[in-house]
Amino acid sequence: MVPGGLQPGGRGVRATMKVRVMHAIVRHMIMNDPRAVANPSDAALKAAFGLPINQEDMVYTLLTFSYVVIEGFRIMGYRMTDRQREGYIHCWNVVGSLMGIREELLPASFAEARQLFDAIQRRQHGQSEAGKKLTAALLAAVQDAMPGDHHDPLIAALARKLVGDETADALGIQRPTLIQQIRLDALLDAWALSARLATELHADQPIRIASEELHHAIMVKMGGMAGAPFEVPEEFV
């Protein structure tokens, strides 16, 4: 999301190509390694599993970076204009195209993005122990990565607010206490107000820089993922 990032040779293009190559490697390993759980010897069962990292899963994941982010801003009290929403969807569609998602699957508008997200979620949404364990691990990782030496229950409270009660219950996210809910609402109100003021005053650059620094610090604290080397051969760019 930097100027020129999606132009030929841009940082965004190179980052997207890295992910596409990693997808191809993982897909090859799952389909060909007999030790892989998702690679059963029975041909009919293998066909039922479908292709690993398939088109539906990829476009659904793409929507978590586009449609879900826009909805997250709305839930947190920040309003985007129609033009901003449509532009954001289009930007991620470019990324999706570079990732190899078929053009007919990419939503042409924010409204189509919502319809597609809801349709896939209806098909695949469900409760599982694996989902609960993964959610608990992710919340713990974010809590551990945040500044300070204590676990703030507001991380889980915010996650519940963003995904909704039905999904949060399926994922085993605890409901916040009344005090925690009041704290969260107050913090979100303050954030939304500061974001609106910064935008109106054209002074959102400090907030953007602070957000990038916080993200980088979290990634480093979670295991040095911010600087993991993975060079893409020039012929793939």
Side-chain angles (χ1 to χ4, degrees), residues 37-206:
V37 176
N39 182 16
S41 57
D42 183 87
L45 190 58
K46 182 179 290 190
F49 268 101
L51 186 70
I53 317 180
N54 56 56
Q55 288 284 310
E56 181 177 339
D57 289 344
M58 283 201 297
V59 75
Y60 186 73
T61 302
L62 185 78
L63 290 169
T64 66
F65 286 93
S66 57
Y67 167 74
V68 171
V69 170
I70 295 172
E71 281 295 280
F73 276 130
R74 180 187 63 79
I75 293 170
M76 293 172 66
Y78 183 79
R79 298 292 184 265
M80 299 176 68
T81 65
D82 290 343
R83 183 177 180 181
Q84 288 173 329
R85 284 202 305 253
E86 300 301 334
Y88 198 74
I89 293 293
H90 174 73
C91 182
W92 279 103
N93 279 350
V94 174
V95 174
S97 179
L98 291 171
M99 291 283 294
I101 299 176
R102 296 200 301 267
E103 185 175 351
E104 61 267 27
L105 280 178
L106 297 172
S109 65
F110 175 76
E112 285 191 12
R114 175 190 286 120
Q115 293 173 353
L116 181 58
F117 182 84
D118 290 344
I120 297 176
Q121 192 168 54
R122 284 194 300 270
R123 269 175 45 84
Q124 300 203 27
H125 182 271
Q127 184 174 327
S128 70
E129 288 303 312
K132 290 181 178 180
K133 291 179 180 179
L134 179 58
T135 300
L138 288 172
L139 290 176
V142 174
Q143 289 171 345
D144 289 339
M146 294 298 289
D149 298 324
H150 65 285
H151 285 188
D152 195 329
L154 289 191
I155 299 296
L158 177 59
R160 171 173 281 274
K161 186 176 184 68
L162 291 173
V163 303
D165 286 333
E166 181 181 356
T167 299
D169 289 341
L171 294 174
I173 301 175
Q174 291 185 345
R175 291 179 178 270
T177 65
L178 178 60
I179 297 300
Q180 291 168 358
Q181 189 62 56
I182 292 174
R183 283 184 59 206
L184 178 63
D185 290 342
L187 285 173
L188 290 180
D189 288 343
W191 179 86
L193 177 61
S194 63
R196 282 196 295 269
L197 288 175
T199 301
E200 291 176 4
L201 298 174
H202 303 286
D204 57 340
Q205 187 70 14

